[in-house]
Amino acid sequence: MKRELGNLGWERLKKRLWLNHPVHPKMFKVYKIAYSFTIPIILYAFFFESSGLFGFMEETINRLFPVLAPQDYTRIENLATPEFVGAWYLLGIALISCLFNYFLGEELFFRGVLLPKMKGAFGKWDWAVNGILFATYHLHKISEIPLFIVGSLFYGFLNAKTRSFWPAVIIHGVESIP
């Protein structure tokens, strides 16, 4: 970033990382109503990714390729067992993990650093390549990648069209709550 921007002043960094409100794609004015476009994507994430409705896809992939199935110790939902009753510190660890992993890690890297520069290499398909790259980054959940690709395409499209980092942060943040 320093090599690209020369000076890491807040205003330059904010513009480069799209740390601004969404911008209307044609009028180039602040377009706060774009935040409402996050609602259908959040619903998608809840109903399709988190609900287990398409768990059969994950199970099929795990049956076909058992070596790719995630180990039990890698699943956060396995912390909801009787031996962890009253271990509230785990909630704190999970919240800190969400902050650093989702916000400062995944979203800042994929939607803040990479996506704004991908247009030069991929043209109008920058959002799609970014979405696929983001989904395949989750290699540790390889059987869930097909669902991640669909959700990630929504993230990338919304961010690329509004030239803002915040819609994906909102979606990913709300999605991590369940």
Side-chain angles (χ1 to χ4, degrees), residues 75-91:
R75 296 181 174 268
I76 196 164
E77 55 269 11
N78 288 341
L79 292 175
T81 57
E83 64 263 24
F84 293 112
V85 169
W88 289 101
Y89 66 92
L90 290 174
L91 182 61

Side-chain angles (χ1 to χ4, degrees), residues 137-163:
Y137 159 77
H138 292 86
L139 206 53
H140 60 287
K141 298 178 180 180
I142 197 163
S143 53
E144 297 178 38
I145 286 180
L147 285 174
F148 286 164
I149 287 175
V150 176
S152 298
L153 290 175
F154 288 136
Y155 286 29
F157 182 78
L158 185 57
N159 281 39
K161 290 300 172 195
T162 63
R163 300 181 56 81

